Amino acid sequence: MSRTVYVNGAFVPEAEATVSVFDRGFLMADGVYEVTTVMDGRLVDFPGHMARLERSLSELDMPSPATADELLALHRELLERNGLQQGRVYLQVTRGNPGDRDFAFPDPATVAPTLVLFTQETPAPEAIGAARSGLRVISVPDIRWHRRDIKTVQLLYPSMAKMMAKAAGADDAWLVEDGKVTEGTSNNAYIVKNGRIVTRELSHDILHGITRAALLRYAREAQMVVEERAFTIAEAQAADEAFITSASAFVMPVVSVDGAQIGAGTPGPVATRLREIYLEESRKAAL
Ligand code: PDD
């Protein structure tokens, strides 16, 4: 079935949605994005995603394409028009179409940003089998640029890392820099040892996951101990449990790293409980 997508002020059938070949998103990867989960037709962690979008835009001196209220209205209308109950909304903003290719940024007074929103349907979280079997990850060097806290559309290396994982018979890759795990290809990484949840601290080295922020809040509310620090692959392999978080995976157990089984090699109790808490709280708070 054809989706309705939003492009620069209009809701159109996907086959009619177009962006210029001179768009800086296409020519320069000069754009940022957000992914918001939809559960039961409602938006999960929406204020967090919009706050991060504002931050990404301002770090890149890119004008905002719309206010937070306007973006909420656009998200809701898009869900309505597509009748989406379970899935995601992708929001893409670029520095627009200056009409020519040039390394210098165009004047924001004359070139408007490009704004695109589209939906993608997914099974309900409870129907995702990987949550029961857990993921196998491999480690690969993190050779991305050094502003990973900005959610840019420069996703080539994460895509390559995903392909390396597939080629190795695994599900995903954890990126390693200076001997420590930064994050997953499109998710934040965690281990659990002696009941303590360990995940890398926030810096320019990782994306400040919105799911991460919500999950750590729920974990602390449930009296769980959280340690924000980097860890090594060896530490992960010797951990009791491991998992990842993202808007698309929620909380997803990891059962092996570079072929070494973690704990019992099945999803652990902490990851399983955190997934339940996250899904329950997200449903309650969704907009
Ligand atoms: N990815 N780290 C990276 C590199 C990511 O791309 C993502 C999200 C995360 C988790 O962030 P959040 O919890 O806010 O989704 C961490 C999205 C889902 C994607 O690119 O599809």
Side-chain angles (χ1 to χ4, degrees):
M1 202 186 79
S2 167
R3 276 173 290 200
T4 294
V5 306
Y6 174 88
V7 186
N8 292 332
F11 288 93
V12 291
E14 61 183 56
E16 289 166 31
T18 56
V19 172
S20 167
V21 295
F22 297 108
D23 194 280
R24 287 184 61 90
F26 178 61
L27 295 179
M28 307 289 191
D30 188 359
V32 300
Y33 74 111
E34 279 298 329
V35 187
T36 306
T37 289
V38 178
M39 285 184 198
D40 308 322
R42 294 191 301 148
L43 298 156
V44 173
D45 290 333
F46 188 75
H49 286 288
M50 291 307 104
R52 185 173 62 192
L53 173 68
E54 268 312 309
R55 182 175 177 279
S56 294
L57 291 167
S58 89
E59 290 296 305
L60 296 173
D61 289 327
M62 210 182 281
S64 292
T67 65
D69 285 349
E70 288 165 345
L71 291 174
L72 177 58
L74 288 177
H75 276 74
R76 285 189 164 149
E77 185 165 353
L78 192 71
L79 295 183
E80 184 72 33
R81 285 177 183 254
N82 286 286
L84 190 78
Q85 286 297 306
Q86 311 295 334
R88 302 169 198 148
V89 179
Y90 289 81
L91 175 154
Q92 315 280 138
V93 186
T94 77
R95 208 180 299 270
N97 161 27
D100 275 319
R101 186 181 185 279
D102 189 346
F103 277 86
F105 293 171
D107 179 356
T110 54
V111 177
T114 295
L115 174 60
V116 170
L117 279 83
F118 63 91
T119 54
Q120 206 149 291
E121 210 167 342
T122 60
E126 288 71 19
I128 297 171
R132 284 181 289 279
S133 49
L135 302 179
R136 291 153 303 161
V137 304
I138 60 162
S139 62
V140 303
D142 194 343
I143 60 166
R144 297 173 301 164
W145 79 327
H146 287 278
R147 289 304 307 273
R148 301 155 193 158
D149 56 310
I150 307 173
K151 196 164 172 61
T152 75
V153 298
Q154 303 171 73
L155 297 174
L156 180 55
Y157 188 65
S159 296
M160 290 168 68
K162 189 87 183 176
M163 294 311 291
M164 291 180 228
K166 276 178 179 265
D171 303 296
D172 202 5
W174 277 5
L175 309 175
V176 176
E177 186 173 58
D178 300 331
K180 304 272 173 69
V181 174
T182 51
E183 57 188 335
T185 56
S186 58
N187 44 69
N188 291 116
Y190 306 72
I191 56 172
V192 181
K193 185 71 181 176
N194 300 326
R196 301 170 83 84
I197 300 165
V198 181
T199 193
R200 196 176 175 111
E201 72 281 5
L202 298 181
S203 71
H204 288 177
D205 297 339
I206 63 168
L207 186 73
H208 301 186
I210 303 304
T211 317
R212 175 190 184 280
L215 187 84
L216 294 188
R217 195 171 65 243
Y218 301 145
R220 286 176 171 129
E221 281 168 11
Q223 315 301 324
M224 295 179 180
V225 181
V226 178
E227 229 176 280
E228 293 185 63
R229 62 163 178 87
F231 57 84
T232 63
I233 290 293
E235 217 180 333
Q237 290 172 328
D240 301 324
E241 295 184 38
F243 62 94
I244 57 162
T245 63
S246 75
S248 45
F250 317 117
V251 179
M252 188 62 78
V254 168
V255 294
S256 74
V257 177
D258 286 337
Q261 179 176 303
I262 298 176
T266 54
V270 175
T272 303
R273 180 72 193 121
L274 286 173
R275 183 175 172 90
E276 284 165 7
I277 295 175
Y278 180 76
L279 292 177
E280 195 181 310
E281 296 295 328
S282 299
R283 280 209 169 90
K284 268 195 252 165
L287 293 177

